[in-house]
Amino acid sequence: MTQTTRAPLENADGAHIREWLRRFQHVRRASEKLCAPLETEDYMVQSMADVSPPKWHLAHVSWFFEAFILAPWLKDYQTPDPAYDFLFNSYYETHGKPFPRHLRGTISRPTVAQVYQFRAHIDREMERLLSAPPPEHLDEIIDRLEIGLHHEQQHQELLVMDIKHILSCNPLHPIYRNDIRQQLLAHADQAALPDAPRWHRYAAGVRQIGVDYPTEPAFDHDGEGFVFDSETPRHRQYVAEFELADRPVTNAEFLKFIEDGGYTRTELWLSDGWHLMHQTGWQAPEYWEKVDGRWHTMSLGGLVPVDLNAPVCHVSFYEADAYARWAGARLPTEAEWETAAVDQPLAGHFVEDELLQPQAPSRRQGQDKNQAPQQLYGDVWEWTGSAFLPYPGFTPLEGSLGEYNGKFMSGQMVLRGGCCATPGNHIRASYRNFFPPQARWAFSGIRLARDV
Amino acid sequence: MTQTTRAPLENADGAHIREWLRRFQHVRRASEKLCAPLETEDYMVQSMADVSPPKWHLAHVSWFFEAFILAPWLKDYQTPDPAYDFLFNSYYETHGKPFPRHLRGTISRPTVAQVYQFRAHIDREMERLLSAPPPEHLDEIIDRLEIGLHHEQQHQELLVMDIKHILSCNPLHPIYRNDIRQQLLAHADQAALPDAPRWHRYAAGVRQIGVDYPTEPAFDHDGEGFVFDSETPRHRQYVAEFELADRPVTNAEFLKFIEDGGYTRTELWLSDGWHLMHQTGWQAPEYWEKVDGRWHTMSLGGLVPVDLNAPVCHVSFYEADAYARWAGARLPTEAEWETAAVDQPLAGHFVEDELLQPQAPSRRQGQDKNQAPQQLYGDVWEWTGSAFLPYPGFTPLEGSLGEYNGKFMSGQMVLRGGCCATPGNHIRASYRNFFPPQARWAFSGIRLARDV
Amino acid sequence: MTQTTRAPLENADGAHIREWLRRFQHVRRASEKLCAPLETEDYMVQSMADVSPPKWHLAHVSWFFEAFILAPWLKDYQTPDPAYDFLFNSYYETHGKPFPRHLRGTISRPTVAQVYQFRAHIDREMERLLSAPPPEHLDEIIDRLEIGLHHEQQHQELLVMDIKHILSCNPLHPIYRNDIRQQLLAHADQAALPDAPRWHRYAAGVRQIGVDYPTEPAFDHDGEGFVFDSETPRHRQYVAEFELADRPVTNAEFLKFIEDGGYTRTELWLSDGWHLMHQTGWQAPEYWEKVDGRWHTMSLGGLVPVDLNAPVCHVSFYEADAYARWAGARLPTEAEWETAAVDQPLAGHFVEDELLQPQAPSRRQGQDKNQAPQQLYGDVWEWTGSAFLPYPGFTPLEGSLGEYNGKFMSGQMVLRGGCCATPGNHIRASYRNFFPPQARWAFSGIRLARDV
Amino acid sequence: MTQTTRAPLENADGAHIREWLRRFQHVRRASEKLCAPLETEDYMVQSMADVSPPKWHLAHVSWFFEAFILAPWLKDYQTPDPAYDFLFNSYYETHGKPFPRHLRGTISRPTVAQVYQFRAHIDREMERLLSAPPPEHLDEIIDRLEIGLHHEQQHQELLVMDIKHILSCNPLHPIYRNDIRQQLLAHADQAALPDAPRWHRYAAGVRQIGVDYPTEPAFDHDGEGFVFDSETPRHRQYVAEFELADRPVTNAEFLKFIEDGGYTRTELWLSDGWHLMHQTGWQAPEYWEKVDGRWHTMSLGGLVPVDLNAPVCHVSFYEADAYARWAGARLPTEAEWETAAVDQPLAGHFVEDELLQPQAPSRRQGQDKNQAPQQLYGDVWEWTGSAFLPYPGFTPLEGSLGEYNGKFMSGQMVLRGGCCATPGNHIRASYRNFFPPQARWAFSGIRLARDV
Ligand SMILES: [Fe+3]
Ligand SMILES: [Fe+3]
Ligand SMILES: [Fe+3]
Ligand SMILES: [Fe+3]
């Protein structure tokens, strides 16, 4: 994402910049809307090392604009507190030593109110900058603004995941939003649909995978055209003939795996997963809990019965992989997934649906036999069998932003397609999410593939 | 503390009971006053496993009255939430499985406001009970009320310790109360007084140590007469001739130990302490921090210069023991300490002083050569060389309250005398506090003794 | 143990020194005899952090003579390898940085044969020194020789404990000596004797506890007169009236505790013990194993049925304490134990019996109602309720030997009386052994006491 | 590796089987030869969790033949001890619960001598089986024998790695073979050759990677034709144009990285590696040690000066990756590596050289400008940037042997080319070794690649 790869912005008129400002405000409001149902106390909790307190998320995404845009380019910019640069730096070691991650929950000051003041301060100052941007840095300001907005959207999804985990740790089973509860109770399927997944076949061949950095800034459409460093460059991969299931694995199907002793059969498991499972005592997906003989799950509407026809969610890579082996299939590679997804419309159940829970497809009406795979986007992030590694020709961004994705290319698996907590304009066929194989608190599910 | 050891309460008239109610209200208000300077966010933090969130303290001491008085003896008592009985049980395993201690900081609900409502609920219901107590249980109600009040006072001191730790973990060095800061800055001594400690000699002999449960309930004096199970029974101990320093070790003296390589000389240290010190990297008492070449310490008024003439505080037993060895002395046993303290007036710098920091004695006026040891009460808990073990003839209380102290009689050392965070009517010569030898977040200091 | 407390040795004639040499040789041979049944491989194992490989024990006790006697006082003394001074230093930090304890099992060189050569070397050089000792250091040489011999005897007992643990970790259940197996199988009681323990009462009063360093060197009797630093000085303690059981708790009695849910009843346990027990899964003493519905125990004769009338062994302090509470009694203090033991003859089942397993007393013949408590010495070390702390007036030895016991006076409990693995001349009424409360691999058992 | 993929063996005449027997004996002797310089004590050590005691290796590879060949197909086969099936099972959970890996060093029995007897027993019984193999199982016997021999060769390499680690933990710096020491001291380069690596370019295109199971058993050539499950099947991959360095990174080059602050520059490191490096304190490759200002390294000839022109060895994936970034290059993918290697002769410095240390190439004579990359085989395993994942179409073996490689396809990186401890006939272009990214005790080095 160097300037040289883009057409110059000299022609960026005020209308364009106002459009960016509008998007900025829109994204900023979305973060706050997600936190609106929280009590002050909820903002403070770090329920496990992977989780960050919501307060920290809100401050950190603001710090990003301060550290990478306002501090370098807004004349006379003043921070509310120089310590924020230490407290809210996540992992940009080239920018300065970050505050230890596992202690984020111990920082009660700044308070939630002060963090909202920090947000308002950043908003005002960004407005001030964009009202009269220094022309010689406009390109870079817009570049970083764009990253900053996508960064904040990433954290919106993390906010949902983390809030769910925070509330789930509480034996009171607190409810985040009551309307979610009403909807989930009204629609949970108590009987599994009988249909097996159907398979779509894809021919062998050299495929174009990934994308290049756009050469034009993405001024006038909603996020379209933006890509993270890790999705670049567009490159060739040979993909052998394969088949992909038309939908994610459902809760009903995963229950069969459980009942068939899936968690007790060593031959189904990767060695690391087998040992981890014994240490942790996993017997079902995260958040599942048997109440009076029936499986329930913690949702953002509290504890509700498991919807048998919804995609299974909150499974680790190890469970996804074991399930696939049990089913006589395997997980798709990320190239296979992208091959199937690249032609599909970017539609699905996203955060804007406000259910924050994977949903059953509307399959009762009967399936069109020729239709494409369903639910590739939204509902659940789909584990792939691919490790998160650099694409051939990958070059990280320069400076601190070069730490964005590249430094995590070790020990993680790729997930694709977004989920019920992803902003709808924050996903695309080439988007590479990643988590360590043991992670279960993301909205992660399973889609099967198989060799022909 | 069985009923049989006390005179019957038939003669307890309404005035007596109103007096108990007044004390109840007084203690309850004191807890809330300590928390008044806190932000909602501060109430949530568990900055290490030993620390509990202030919110938890406030709820737990209320639960104690619910579990041990209201639930058994108030007709039609209703809890605001049955889950509180699980969430706010600290360690009474015979009462039910307690919520895991290290996760207390992850529980955002009930909120702080709800915890204050719980407190108000308990207050009202206790008032209701005491307005018409069931005569046949009056004895036991008063017994447990008395324990409950002393229990809450114990937690008041823990609240101060924990709040200090919580704020100290924050790189912003938040200030709990600004008036404390003003006083500390005004009075910190920058020069050490020249006087060495003087020694008081005590003759050898069989001493009476500890106390018996009082045979009369302690109706009309402020807490006097109450004792914890661990202080009983009164018993004989032979105490050889010894000498006790007239005051605690000062910061100036401890600095000399540091500058003499105290933390690097293996021959001064117990083996466990030596290894722990290397793991933790201790180089000075907890909360000390060098700023521009001068030692500062975190206080409840923020970071302030170390007062050279104040008692050293926040040292572990291992450091206290190493210091004593360096000084050619030793720590007193608890029997020695009690021998010296039993005749001294119960005066000192307690929580009511509102400084929450150990103070230098007013020694500038010159010492009376015949005076007794100073500062035995208040300022700093004084580590003794005695392990926390049952006294000869010790019998724990019956039922869940039998878990009060006896189950912790393993792996802990006794400290005596109270500190600047102790309620003034919550200390006595026989009071046995205890902490594991590595603890440093209590207001713990050093007084020397030596053989003759 | 400074020279000044002893009469000068000018009158030590050659006969005396030859007597010391004889004792030296005797003790040295005893260590080797204990290792005779081992395979070379057994010498190498560190089966847990507390255990040392037998090879290390054999070398370490030799190093003690090198470091503290030969190096300082034998002219032209040459070590076989200077690295031994690092490898075989246990914890004498003032002597030099010791090799990390938990890695002792990773050191394959020097080999077992080389360690035996080192032993022979030390033996020869000690002989050379004692054949012409420098008169001006004779006192100190004899002092340290005496400590060195008792030190080696301590390690002989550790050798037995550690060898037992090493072999017990092996699923093959290896047998150390087959004659032990034969005896154990021949004599194990399958039926419990019906007799309850009888209680001996001791009057209240000030007792003399501990001993002083002898003022005469202990030339002509077998170890008698020697004391460790921690047993000194002799001092007064007030001991209230108490009763002591006439014998240790038996396996049959401990089985009743197990069957009565002893390991599941929280009210019987110290808090630390309760949590440790849940972590470790203890359900019975160390080495117990149910085979075909019957309790067996690993012994140095392999796996054998539990002898119901033998003293229970390999229990932690926590289990001893919980058992006592269950039985309506308590553990004795070390002063009580010493009060009872000081008048008893130093007889019992020691290492010289070569059974290395606690034995049932010969009680079938009927008990003499007036007889003293039995089995105070030998069979099992008896947990006391006393923490291992310095006696009033305790002064450690000077120099590195000052690290002998004093630095461990934290976090340990005292055990008294020796066991089936103790050399018979290495025990006395004042002997204070100590282990952390969780230790179970020592031959540790239970004797009850109670208040009157 | 099912029978159906191979031509039937009916035509396998006795000569063929005698050839297999000869190879069996040859491989078996090689293991023992590697252990010949060891002391009995060395056989016992597990110097870290990843290391297995040499005794265990020798027994485990023998158990493999017992469990998978003799027990199923040799009539009347008797094991020397049924417990071996538990003790020497490494991780075949479908075969039975394996003995805990981290406790392998605690098992002193069977002794080393007994393990050699077990080996002799297996040898005799294999001879008995192969002298009259049941014709109906001959195919499968030969299949498993072949795997068993390659399995034992893998363990030969592990033996060298583990022996090196075991001896290196000993402060005495024991020497495995003195002739190695002589050679290393004679040939270590003290001055670095000036030449930079040269780059070989490879055209873009779809490549055939991996191999299929052979359809003919590999009777008459030395190991040729055998492949592990993870190398199959042969499949297409698109490989973009790339360049590969003509030789591994040398010690001299890695020293420049160190001296340039390579271990202190966060921007060079993957996040996991950066944090691990700080925890472990890595400042140089494993086994490096500065003596009198000069870097030495532990070798199987003891501590010797680092040979500046030899390939750097004993670096983790993280260090290899950081080095490559520092050098403006990257690690090759395994497909790139295989593309370059597939045409090269299988020559190099292998275990048969008996130096067990990577060697400088003979480059002093000047390089042929047209020559191919050097040292692809032997000297050091070369870290690739590829995670160890199944190839498209991968199918594990059936039964317990299906656990061979597939279950480890998580969390590991691929290394290629064999090393100075690899048997020369145990390597091929398609061979995929794997280690977790933090491993340093393997003979692992670095070869650079770069985009064009
Ligand atoms: Fe971020
Ligand atoms: Fe409490
Ligand atoms: Fe020792
Ligand atoms: Fe193996």
Side-chain angles (χ1 to χ4, degrees), chain C residues 169-213:
Chain C
C169 288
N170 193 317
L172 302 183
H173 291 129
I175 293 168
Y176 168 76
R177 282 209 341 255
N178 211 54
D179 60 311
I180 292 179
R181 180 170 193 77
Q182 300 316 320
Q183 283 196 64
L184 291 177
L185 291 177
H187 297 303
D189 281 325
Q190 317 256 343
L193 290 177
D195 59 321
R198 289 182 310 132
W199 298 92
H200 291 263
R201 183 169 297 198
Y202 297 85
V206 172
R207 303 277 180 177
Q208 294 275 357
I209 300 293
V211 288
D212 288 318
Y213 285 127

Side-chain angles (χ1 to χ4, degrees), chain C residues 102-155:
Chain C
H102 68 286
L103 297 178
R104 287 177 187 164
T106 67
I107 300 303
S108 52
R109 319 284 182 97
T111 62
V112 171
Q114 287 169 321
V115 163
Y116 275 102
Q117 286 161 18
F118 179 41
R119 290 186 65 86
H121 170 82
I122 295 294
D123 290 350
R124 276 192 309 272
E125 293 295 75
M126 284 296 292
E127 209 162 322
R128 180 157 74 90
L129 176 69
L130 292 178
S131 69
E136 69 281 20
H137 296 125
L138 184 54
D139 272 13
E140 199 150 7
I141 287 171
I142 297 296
D143 269 2
R144 294 196 175 182
L145 171 57
E146 193 176 27
I147 296 186
L149 294 177
H150 284 277
H151 173 254
E152 183 146 352
Q153 287 189 307
Q154 287 182 302
H155 278 276

Side-chain angles (χ1 to χ4, degrees), chain C residues 41-42 83 108-109 112 170, chain D residues 41-42 83 108-109 112 170 172:
Chain C
E41 291 83 348
D42 300 329
S108 52
R109 319 284 182 97
V112 171
N170 193 317
Chain D
E41 291 84 348
D42 302 327
S108 51
R109 321 284 183 95
V112 171
N170 194 317
L172 302 183

